[in-house]
């Protein structure tokens, strides 16, 4: 609803000064400074606002640290971009590309479950990102970095090694043993951002299927019993289970349809 009254009368009714009503901000919108902050952050992707502020000061900008911090936050630049420390074989965080062939990229993760009597065990899961085939699911009560490297060596002898392996920041993956193995075998380790399991959605989806279709559906009387049942499920998954993302083909069928097959395992 609109009222045809003068500004003087409206301000008197609202107890508002006319000077306030007519005020127009003369503050600089900082567009040039914002642009320069974005440029610096784009070139030096690991820098936070303190280093950006120092660089601005060196360039002659008369701006205080608090203003740089405020504009830095408003521009949405406060995102962690550090790659995992110490890892010579780690890749940085560009947008991830989709694997286009077998053995281009693998995804690897750990799961946990227990036997009928409560004894716990762990599972190392591995998936080819292109064919969705699982080369191995290793199961034991303890799986160290040395054991992971030995498993990868064995799989590598059977089907070759990938260009990179996507992993989370678990101690077995961030330790020196796997880092050295990756460096010597020319395999890059592509680490998830901390707290971002969706960075490795393929292995998370695979683990969910393994949990729902095998681990939750069986009682495991011993480690050997668990190994047998998990291995039977893995072979069924690779050779028979239809995968919607693969045109309802099983992983091995999909790989064969593209002319890219690996030794059966």
């Amino acid at each position: 609803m609109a009222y045809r009254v003068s500004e003087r009368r409206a301000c008197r009714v609202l107890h508002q000064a006319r000077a306030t009503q007519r005020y127009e901000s003369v503050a600089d919108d900082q567009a040039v400074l914002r642009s320069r902050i974005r440029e610096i952050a784009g070139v030096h992707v690991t820098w936070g606002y303190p280093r950006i502020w120092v660089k601005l000061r060196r360039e002659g900008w008369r701006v205080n640290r608090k203003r740089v911090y405020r504009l830095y936050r408003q521009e949405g630049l406060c995102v962690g971009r550090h790659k995992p420390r110490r890892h010579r074989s780690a890749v940085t965080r560009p947008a991830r590309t989709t694997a286009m062939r077998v053995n281009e990229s693998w995804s690897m993760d750990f799961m946990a479950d227990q036997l009928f009597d409560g004894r716990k065990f762990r599972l190392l899961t591995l998936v080819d990102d292109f064919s969705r085939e699982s080369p191995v699911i290793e199961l034991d009560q303890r799986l160290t970095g040395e054991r992971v490297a030995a498993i990868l060596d064995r799989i590598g002898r059977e089907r070759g090694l990938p260009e990179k392996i996507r992993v989370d920041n678990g101690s077995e993956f961030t330790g020196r043993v796997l880092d050295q193995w990756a460096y010597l075998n020319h395999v890059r380790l592509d680490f998830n951002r901390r707290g971002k399991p969706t960075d490795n959605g393929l292995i998370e989806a695979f683990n969910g299927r393994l949990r729902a279709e095998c681990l939750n559906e069986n009682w495991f009387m011993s480690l050997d019993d668990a190994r047998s049942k998990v291995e039977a499920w893995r072979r069924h998954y690779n050779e028979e289970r239809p995968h919607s993302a693969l045109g309802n083909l099983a992983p091995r069928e999909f790989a064969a349809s593209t002319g890219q097959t690996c030794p059966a395992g």
Side-chain angles (χ1 to χ4, degrees), residues 191-254:
F191 288 90
N192 295 350
R193 293 169 294 177
R194 292 188 181 275
K196 298 287 185 178
T198 52
D199 279 350
N200 203 351
L202 291 177
I203 195 68
E204 294 294 331
F206 176 82
N207 290 350
R209 297 185 186 100
L210 173 58
R211 175 75 64 188
E213 298 175 10
C214 180
L215 301 183
N216 289 349
E217 293 297 313
N218 288 284
W219 280 98
F220 303 120
M221 307 307 293
S222 65
L223 284 176
D224 286 340
D225 181 44
R227 291 189 184 103
S228 175
K229 291 174 179 175
V230 169
E231 177 62 14
W233 181 86
R234 185 186 72 86
R235 290 184 177 275
H236 169 77
Y237 172 88
N238 285 342
E239 299 168 10
E240 300 178 35
R241 187 188 186 279
H243 199 301
S244 59
L246 304 178
N248 289 322
L249 297 175
R252 281 199 172 277
E253 292 175 324
F254 175 76

Side-chain angles (χ1 to χ4, degrees), residues 172-189:
E172 298 85 355
F173 300 147
T174 59
R176 293 182 180 178
V177 173
L178 191 61
D179 184 41
Q180 182 182 39
W181 176 89
Y183 178 73
L184 294 175
N185 288 277
H186 309 289
V187 176
R188 293 175 294 160
L189 299 180

Side-chain angles (χ1 to χ4, degrees), residues 2-208:
Y3 295 93
R4 301 186 62 179
V5 297
S6 67
E7 179 186 275
R8 184 190 302 274
R9 183 176 181 184
C11 289
R12 185 167 62 248
V13 171
L14 297 174
H15 303 289
Q16 178 175 294
R18 293 178 66 198
T20 301
Q21 180 64 29
R22 295 187 176 191
Y23 174 78
E24 293 183 6
S25 175
V26 295
D28 187 356
D29 66 359
Q30 305 293 314
V32 178
L33 179 57
R34 287 174 183 270
S35 177
R36 183 58 186 145
I37 290 173
R38 287 196 302 270
E39 288 175 1
I40 296 173
V43 174
H44 303 283
V45 296
T46 62
W47 285 15
Y49 82 92
R51 288 192 179 185
I52 293 177
W53 173 71
V54 170
K55 183 169 180 61
L56 289 170
R57 296 284 291 185
R58 289 176 178 174
E59 292 177 353
W61 291 84
R62 297 177 63 84
V63 59
N64 64 36
R65 186 182 178 117
K66 290 182 179 179
R67 177 174 295 179
V68 173
Y69 174 70
R70 184 178 71 253
L71 297 178
Y72 179 83
R73 292 293 300 270
Q74 289 175 359
E75 292 298 313
L77 300 173
C78 45
V79 179
R81 298 188 173 110
H82 299 287
K83 71 177 182 180
R85 60 189 179 92
R86 299 194 311 271
H87 287 272
R88 300 171 64 182
S89 52
V91 296
T92 53
R93 179 54 48 204
R96 278 180 162 163
T97 56
T98 302
M100 302 302 294
R101 63 183 185 279
V102 170
N103 276 4
E104 178 181 343
S105 173
W106 294 353
S107 293
M108 184 165 59
D109 198 11
F110 278 106
M111 299 180 68
D113 204 48
Q114 61 184 22
L115 303 178
F116 80 102
D117 57 3
R119 286 182 294 161
K120 296 180 180 179
F121 61 85
R122 305 186 74 196
L123 303 96
L124 176 71
T125 56
L126 192 66
V127 171
D128 184 288
D129 294 344
F130 175 74
S131 68
R132 307 299 202 273
E133 179 187 358
S134 173
V136 68
I137 302 176
E138 193 76 12
L139 185 155
D140 213 332
Q141 288 185 304
R142 187 167 179 265
L143 293 170
T144 63
E146 290 85 352
R147 181 76 174 277
V148 172
I151 294 167
L152 292 174
D153 275 334
R154 188 184 79 224
I155 299 302
R157 289 191 297 270
E158 296 172 357
R159 58 177 286 151
L161 290 172
E163 297 175 10
K164 66 180 178 181
I165 302 177
R166 296 174 175 175
V167 294
D168 62 22
N169 290 276
S171 59
E172 298 85 355
F173 300 147
T174 59
R176 293 182 180 178
V177 173
L178 191 61
D179 184 41
Q180 182 182 39
W181 176 89
Y183 178 73
L184 294 175
N185 288 277
H186 309 289
V187 176
R188 293 175 294 160
L189 299 180
D190 188 359
F191 288 90
N192 295 350
R193 293 169 294 177
R194 292 188 181 275
K196 298 287 185 178
T198 52
D199 279 350
N200 203 351
L202 291 177
I203 195 68
E204 294 294 331
F206 176 82
N207 290 350

